[in-house]
Amino acid sequence: FAFRRSGVIWHGFDPTEFPPATYERGILSPLGPLVLSRPHYRGYFLYRQVFDSFPQEFAPCDLEVPDPSPLYEGNQYALWKYRNYVDEIRRYSIYFNPTLRSPMPRGRAEAMLCGAVTVSAHNHDVDMFVKNGVNGFYSNDAHELREYLLDLCHKPGLARKMGAAGRHTAADLFNHDRYLAAWERLIAQ
C-alpha cells in the first residue's frame, strides 16, 4: 500500500529522566532472547559479522538490569526498575544497534538521551538525525560498523564528544513536548 497522506511521529521522552552517561564501560549491544527470536528483523546476522573475531578487550556487553529492593512493590517497584534500567544504559560509552527492520528502536533513542554514542545499522530514518562522524555513525556495511566501533573504543574522548552531540540531538528531537505537539497537529487535521 502507498499511503499518500502519511507521516511518522518519533518517540517522545522526558529528557530529564536520562542523566548523562558515566562512560564506565565500553560497548552495549543487547543480544538476548528477543534478538534471537527474530534474527532477520533485529539484526542478529549483522551483529555476528561485526563482532566475530572482535578484540575481546572491547567485546560488547548485554544489558543486565538489576532488580530493585524486594521491599518495593507495585508501582514503586516499577519506577525503581526503570531507574535501574536507565542507570545501566548510561554506564556505557557506545550503543551498537544492528536492528535492520525495527522502526525507530527505542533503545537507541534512550542511549542517545544518556549520551552514549550510537553506532547503528542504516535503518528507518536514522540518517535524518544521526550525522556520521558528528553525533554517531550508521552504515549497513559490517566492516565499516566494526571500524567505527574500534575507533571509538580506542578514542574515549571522541566517544564522549560524539555522545554529547547525540544527547543534544536526542533531547531536541525525541522530547515529549515535540511528541505531544505532533500528535495535537495530527488530531487537529
Side-chain angles (χ1 to χ4, degrees):
F1 290 95
F3 297 99
R4 283 178 261 132
R5 293 182 50 201
S6 64
V8 175
I9 297 177
W10 289 343
H11 300 296
F13 300 98
D14 179 351
T16 64
E17 292 183 356
F18 296 88
T22 62
Y23 304 105
E24 299 166 45
R25 296 187 173 176
I27 302 170
L28 172 63
S29 188
L31 182 67
L34 286 175
V35 173
L36 298 174
S37 69
R38 300 177 75 189
H40 293 286
Y41 185 85
R42 299 196 190 268
Y44 173 75
F45 301 108
L46 180 60
Y47 178 98
R48 288 273 45 105
Q49 288 176 324
V50 169
F51 290 116
D52 281 350
S53 72
F54 201 77
Q56 188 59 37
E57 66 189 288
F58 300 127
C61 296
D62 200 9
L63 185 63
E64 295 181 26
V65 180
D67 285 327
S69 166
L71 299 176
Y72 293 126
E73 58 184 50
N75 200 42
Q76 185 148 23
Y77 182 88
L79 290 170
W80 280 104
K81 182 71 174 187
Y82 181 71
R83 178 81 270 135
N84 288 351
Y85 167 74
V86 171
D87 285 344
E88 275 305 302
I89 291 172
R90 65 191 205 90
R91 294 178 72 191
Y92 291 87
S93 302
I94 305 160
Y95 183 85
F96 178 65
N97 173 53
T99 303
L100 299 173
R101 294 180 180 89
S102 177
M104 290 300 288
R106 180 182 171 97
R108 179 181 60 204
E110 292 169 332
M112 284 181 76
L113 280 164
C114 288
V117 62
T118 59
V119 178
S120 182
H122 187 179
N123 59 18
H124 304 269
D125 292 351
V126 70
D127 54 357
M128 294 177 74
F129 55 89
V130 170
K131 305 296 181 228
N132 268 336
V134 176
N135 63 354
F137 291 104
Y138 63 86
S139 176
N140 278 334
D141 181 270
H143 177 74
E144 193 173 353
L145 291 167
R146 179 187 176 92
E147 291 305 310
Y148 291 148
L149 291 165
L150 287 170
D151 195 40
L152 291 166
C153 287
H154 288 292
K155 299 175 183 170
L158 176 64
R160 287 175 185 240
K161 179 181 175 187
M162 290 180 68
R167 179 175 162 80
H168 179 76
T169 299
D172 185 44
L173 295 178
F174 303 139
N175 70 72
H176 54 356
D177 294 330
R178 191 252 343 125
Y179 176 79
L180 293 172
W183 275 106
E184 286 172 359
R185 277 192 308 275
L186 178 65
I187 292 167
Q189 291 175 354

